């Protein structure tokens, strides 16, 4: 296990119990990200770094009873919350895997992949290589998360770096978190949302 994964594991062990409450303000952009996947009944979707599973019910609703949702998460504490969520909702078509991006074996070929607030994962080329080794060209990719404000707004960026220390261990590419991800896509577009510190990346895997 890499040092970054170990650091993230310790971080999320402390955060898991209160993660949903503390991230409730990003519910809107999460829903936009799920909508952007344009899922259809019967499809398979991967929630990469699914955390506490907030997006899993939305994804399951889109793919229906004939579809499949796969989620992986390296933090066993976060995954325990996700598993509890699934049990409460009776989502039997959803499969959860306790693994890092570098080591996960998906066990299926997804039609779409979601990266929702997974900044550290997006900075790991080894993780992206492993994930996309198990996909196929044409797979729909959507990512969302926090990005820095324009450089001129230094106070805002200092605030973002400070407040995101509880969820991010690797601040590379914080100005454009999708930079490495875009290299895997034949086409992509990025939209910045108000107030300017959130992004929505949509791409087609090459």
């Amino acid at each position: 296990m890499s040092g970054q994964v170990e650091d993230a594991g310790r971080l999320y062990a402390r955060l898991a119990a209160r993660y949903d409450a503390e991230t409730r303000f990003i519910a809107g952009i999460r829903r936009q990200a799920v909508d952007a996947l344009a899922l259809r009944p019967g499809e398979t979707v991967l929630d990469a770094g699914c955390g506490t599973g907030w997006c899993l019910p939305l994804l399951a609703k889109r793919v229906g009873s004939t579809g499949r949702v796969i989620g992986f998460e390296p933090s066993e504490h976060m995954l325990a919350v996700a598993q509890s969520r699934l049990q409460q909702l009776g989502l039997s078509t959803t499969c959860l895997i306790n693994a890092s991006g570098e080591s996960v074996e998906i066990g299926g070929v997804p039609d779409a992949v979601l990266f929702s607030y997974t900044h550290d994962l997006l900075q790991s080329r080894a993780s992206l290589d492993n994930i996309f080794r198990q996909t196929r060209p044409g797979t729909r990719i959507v990512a969302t998360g926090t990005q820095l404000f324009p450089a001129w707004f230094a106070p805002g960026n200092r605030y973002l770096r400070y407040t995101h220390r509880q969820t991010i261990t690797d601040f590379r590419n914080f100005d454009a978190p999708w930079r490495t991800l875009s290299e895997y896509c034949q086409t992509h577009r990025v939209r910045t949302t108000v107030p300017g510190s959130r992004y929505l990346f949509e791409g087609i895997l090459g």
Side-chain angles (χ1 to χ4, degrees), residues 69-146:
V69 180
I70 303 170
F72 76 82
E73 168 60 42
S75 167
E76 61 183 25
H77 297 85
M78 298 285 276
L79 202 66
V81 178
Q83 188 65 58
S84 176
R85 187 190 304 274
L86 296 186
Q87 291 174 349
Q88 291 175 15
L89 297 175
L91 297 178
S92 59
T93 58
T94 299
C95 171
L96 296 181
I97 305 167
N98 187 196
S100 68
E102 296 179 7
S103 64
V104 65
E105 293 294 330
I106 297 171
V109 180
D111 300 288
V113 180
L114 173 66
F115 296 90
S116 176
Y117 281 80
T118 56
H119 182 87
D120 286 351
L121 179 59
L122 292 177
Q123 308 320 307
S124 169
R125 191 175 293 275
S127 294
L128 296 180
D129 283 346
N130 181 50
I131 293 168
F132 294 142
R133 172 182 61 81
Q134 302 173 69
T135 60
R136 58 192 168 205
T139 300
R140 305 187 300 278
I141 309 295
V142 171
T144 190
T146 300

Side-chain angles (χ1 to χ4, degrees), residues 185-203:
C185 296
Q186 54 180 296
T187 62
H188 75 276
R189 67 169 181 164
V190 181
R191 288 179 280 162
T192 299
T193 67
V194 176
S197 62
R198 299 174 193 165
Y199 70 90
L200 188 64
F201 172 101
E202 301 172 66

